[in-house]
Amino acid sequence: LDDVLASRGIKARPTLAEMLNMIAASLTFNNLSIEDGFDAFDDDGDGQISPNDLQAAVRQLQLDMNEEDVRRVHIVMDSQKSGFVSRSDWAGKVGSADGQAVLKSRGVDVETPSEGVSTAGTSVGVASSLDTVAATLAYNKLSADKGYDAFDVDEDGKV
């Protein structure tokens, strides 16, 4: 079905598993644990994730999910049907998702230092920051020049 839709220029919506994998990938990419990810997605800090919390986080992270996708994910994650995702539901669903597969499909290897980035003679913090920038470029499929342009938001030629 995906091939037929693609041949007609229609992009198939991601499956629930793919959407949970995207959420898990965003946590891994941002070096967040499952618990820290819950806190990050709990936009209003009330200890539970509402549909609005989830929508805000998805929008902020620019995940490939529309409002209907977010609604579907929220319903699946809300095992108690309370209208909110609990910390335990979050841990169960996101913890079992495969974020690594999403990152690898986008050329991001979070386990090893990024290729092409020399960290010799730099502190661990700087090397880690360089790896994060390199991973961000790879994740977004940007060349170094396009990445520089993306970081140069005021377009003054300086970052």
Side-chain angles (χ1 to χ4, degrees), residues 9-74:
I10 301 169
K11 184 178 177 191
R13 296 307 314 148
T15 65
L16 285 167
E18 289 169 335
M19 290 185 280
L20 289 169
N21 290 347
M22 280 191 270
I23 291 170
S26 72
L27 300 185
T28 301
F29 184 76
N30 288 290
N31 296 315
L32 294 174
S33 66
I34 298 294
E35 296 79 20
D36 290 340
F38 180 89
D39 293 335
F41 274 68
D42 178 15
D43 193 46
D44 57 13
D46 64 356
Q48 52 194 2
I49 297 175
S50 70
N52 290 340
D53 290 339
L54 188 58
Q55 183 65 49
V58 164
R59 192 175 312 118
Q60 175 74 28
L61 293 167
Q62 299 178 354
L63 300 180
D64 186 22
M65 290 187 239
N66 62 30
E67 286 186 35
E68 177 61 20
D69 294 336
V70 173
R71 185 188 70 74
R72 288 176 43 220
V73 167
H74 194 273

